[in-house]
Amino acid sequence: MATTAEPARSRRTDRTAPGDTATRAAAAPSVDVGPGAATGASSTSAPFGADPTRGVRSAITQASVERLFSVLLALTAIGFGALYAPKVVGQFPNLDQVWGPVSAAALGASFLFVGATAFVQRLAQVAQISCALLFLVVLVTWPLTVHQAIPADQVPWPWWFCTVGSTAAALGFAPWRATVYTALVPAVYVAIRLTPLGGEAGLPAVLQGVFTAFLSGAVLVIAVLLRRAAAAVDTAQATAVRRYSAAIREHATEVERVQVDAIVHDSVLTTLLSAARADTPEARALAARMARNAIDHLAAAATDQPGEAPPVPVHELRDRIAEAVDGLAAPVRLIDGHDGGLRVPAIVAEALAAAAVQASVNSVQHAGGPQVDRWVSVDQRGSAVRVEVGDDGAGFDLGAVPAARLGVRRSIVERVQAVGGTAVVSSNPGAGTRIRLEWTPEVPA
């Protein structure tokens, strides 16, 4: 019968120090009843590997949409300005000698300003509004600009830039202002074209106005829809990041709980039990020493910072465990396994070592006397590291152990689980016990 704890990936540092744990565990009995105390440990898989937001770029965001709008309007304004500039100059003889060139130059300058915003995004809205307003002024003042009717085969030069002005308004103004502007420009243009100074174009002028209204309206609708879609994407992403951050905090709290539970079981409870049983001066001195060690261990757990220790080679992890179990009350054999030079994070090494030592302590206390064969093996399996603690002693029925027993669940299973490993407890009455701890590096998505 076995119980398995699946990995719970976490980048948070487990501050439990295996060396201290081993010292205290060897010095005093554990309150655990045996490895079966992990019964009922649920199989949990935390959804936290690499940050899912890393390397992910939304296909559409408000910033990207605004950038795209600025570039497209800049290309349109510069392109139309360069294309029709000669025709605009050709109409100067029919216009006021001052206002004609000034209005054309002012609108041309606004086009250049819009073009520059393709590289200076923060000025985009200012340039768009300036361009839209200048175009409207040029269009409305056309009757005052013209001294004599333009040739019948030509149109007033503002016509060539109606789309630029309406697009600038659609991007620079609020939707309702842009809607008013989009309706106003075609109406003003048609009114001007029906006057003698506008050429008295009649039906063609009306058709041109309708065409301008449809085209400008389409641009406005597309701009509004894209902006709303981008805003929805940004909101959804912000909500996802906020929820992820909240989940990370909750998971970190759970990791801290596991850590504290393990420290309490390995250090505090064993110290209290030893003190309660101390009936000789030597036992009292031992209890006092254990209490000081427990206090030091709790203080170290509160001050350790993540990422301080370098990765630990597998052979060093094996040496740590061997040194810790060497002082137990019953012999524990160390089985040499394959060592391919793998190095594991310090927090993983600490968790595996502490869990293995606690499993050995439980075996010494509950599996039987010195005649029981006990062993610990540490080896590398590909890119994974596996630690196995076993004995051929009394064993136990996993289903018969009360769920309130915390030893293996806190000190072994959840401790390994907190650093992204797995812990499997297998035992049957009279058939011994095996606890397999394994950690595999997380593969980046």
Side-chain angles (χ1 to χ4, degrees):
M1 188 177 229
T3 180
T4 305
E6 294 298 333
R9 292 291 184 193
S10 172
R11 298 184 183 275
R12 190 172 179 83
T13 302
D14 185 345
R15 303 185 182 108
T16 305
D20 292 345
T21 301
T23 302
R24 288 187 295 278
S30 169
V31 297
D32 199 0
V33 298
T39 300
S42 61
S43 177
T44 58
S45 181
F48 309 113
D51 185 344
T53 64
R54 292 182 181 174
V56 177
R57 296 292 181 271
S58 299
I60 179 173
T61 64
Q62 284 186 293
S64 64
V65 166
E66 295 301 333
R67 174 71 174 171
L68 177 63
F69 284 161
S70 299
V71 172
L72 291 179
L73 180 59
L75 293 176
T76 302
I78 297 297
F80 274 51
L83 178 64
Y84 292 110
K87 295 185 178 181
V88 173
V89 174
Q91 290 187 3
F92 279 179
N94 304 95
L95 307 181
D96 182 83
Q97 294 181 353
V98 177
W99 181 244
V102 168
S103 61
L107 189 61
S110 72
F111 286 179
L112 293 175
F113 188 17
V114 168
T117 60
F119 308 98
V120 187
Q121 180 64 34
R122 66 179 181 276
L123 299 177
Q125 187 176 25
V126 175
Q128 292 158 3
I129 293 175
S130 300
C131 179
L133 292 178
L134 276 173
F135 174 77
L136 185 60
V137 170
V138 169
L139 183 62
V140 170
T141 59
W142 174 259
L144 303 177
T145 306
V146 181
H147 275 278
Q148 58 184 0
I150 60 174
D153 61 341
Q154 296 184 18
V155 295
W157 69 258
W159 157 255
W160 297 317
F161 305 110
C162 283
T163 302
V164 177
S166 297
T167 302
L171 301 182
F173 291 138
W176 72 270
R177 290 190 178 94
T179 302
V180 173
Y181 188 100
T182 299
L184 181 61
V185 165
V188 172
Y189 174 78
V190 171
I192 291 174
R193 289 286 283 151
L194 293 177
T195 64
L197 293 178
E200 295 182 319
L203 181 59
V206 176
L207 295 178
Q208 289 174 350
V210 172
F211 172 78
T212 301
F214 274 114
L215 184 60
S216 301
V219 171
L220 177 59
V221 169
I222 292 173
V224 171
L225 291 179
L226 281 177
R227 279 174 166 163
R228 288 181 178 177
V233 170
D234 283 355
T235 300
Q237 187 174 27
T239 301
V241 170
R242 186 167 57 251
R243 290 177 177 175
Y244 177 79
S245 299
I248 283 291
R249 288 193 295 270
E250 292 177 1
H251 182 62
T253 300
E254 178 64 14
V255 170
E256 290 288 352
R257 180 193 64 77
V258 171
Q259 172 190 337
V260 171
D261 285 349
I263 293 174
V264 169
H265 174 267
D266 295 352
S267 304
V268 178
L269 293 182
T270 55
T271 299
L272 293 175
L273 183 58
S274 178
R277 295 176 177 175
D279 52 6
T280 65
E282 293 78 9
R284 295 188 187 97
L286 175 62
R289 186 165 61 253
M290 290 175 59
R292 286 193 297 269
N293 290 340
I295 293 173
D296 292 342
H297 188 49
L298 290 171
T303 57
D304 282 350
Q305 297 297 323
E308 289 181 346
V312 177
V314 172
H315 69 83
E316 184 176 327
L317 171 62
R318 184 184 297 116
D319 294 342
R320 289 187 188 181
I321 296 175
E323 181 180 356
V325 301
D326 187 56
L328 296 179
V332 179
R333 292 188 296 116
L334 183 67
I335 301 176
D336 290 333
H338 171 66
D339 179 8
L342 177 68
R343 301 171 69 89
V344 299
I347 59 172
V348 175
E350 292 172 359
L352 291 175
V357 171
Q358 185 60 36
S360 300
V361 170
N362 289 346
S363 175
V364 169
Q365 293 178 341
H366 306 293
Q371 75 280 1
V372 173
D373 183 28
R374 298 176 175 86
W375 69 89
V376 176
S377 66
V378 180
D379 64 334
Q380 180 179 338
R381 302 288 181 91
S383 62
V385 59
R386 175 180 291 182
V387 180
E388 184 174 278
V389 181
D391 62 58
D392 60 0
F396 56 93
D397 181 3
L398 291 173
V401 179
R405 305 300 299 224
L406 303 179
V408 172
R409 185 165 70 250
R410 294 292 189 262
S411 298
I412 299 176
V413 175
E414 291 186 0
R415 173 176 272 156
V416 175
Q417 184 186 51
V419 296
T422 59
V424 179
V425 180
S426 302
S427 186
N428 281 299
T433 300
R434 289 194 178 195
I435 298 178
R436 188 176 73 248
L437 315 173
E438 188 166 336
W439 179 84
T440 304
E442 182 180 1
V443 178

